[in-house]
């Protein structure tokens, strides 16, 4: 059984394929990079603001 591209007249070489895979991988790493953590002091202030907001309701 032949693969879906077995009869494709335009094939790319291994080096080009590797370059494409690398580029896609780099883009995915950039877009899926975890959000940076806030500085501890700022995170504490936001938590305090959240706590006060909950206490007010």
């Amino acid at each position: 059984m032949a693969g879906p591209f077995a009869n494709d007249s335009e094939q790319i070489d291994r080096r080009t394929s590797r370059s494409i895979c690398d580029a896609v991988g780099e883009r995915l790493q950039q877009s899926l990079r975890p959000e940076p953590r806030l500085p501890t002091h700022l995170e504490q202030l936001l938590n305090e603001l959240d706590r006060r907001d909950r206490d007010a309701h």
Side-chain angles (χ1 to χ4, degrees):
M1 180 174 173
F5 301 107
N7 295 327
D8 191 0
S9 61
E10 293 184 34
Q11 295 183 2
I12 58 174
D13 59 49
R14 187 178 299 247
R15 186 174 175 185
T16 303
S17 176
R18 182 77 254 161
S19 294
I20 292 169
C21 289
D22 289 346
V24 170
E26 287 175 18
R27 292 277 179 103
L28 284 171
Q29 284 180 341
Q30 290 173 0
S31 66
L32 298 176
R33 187 167 288 146
E35 294 292 322
R37 295 224 9 134
L38 293 173
T40 304
H41 182 67
L42 184 54
E43 191 170 342
Q44 289 171 348
L45 289 172
L46 287 172
N47 289 338
E48 177 67 16
L49 183 62
D50 186 46
R51 185 187 64 75
R52 289 181 185 199
D53 191 42
R54 284 192 313 263
D55 290 348
H57 295 145

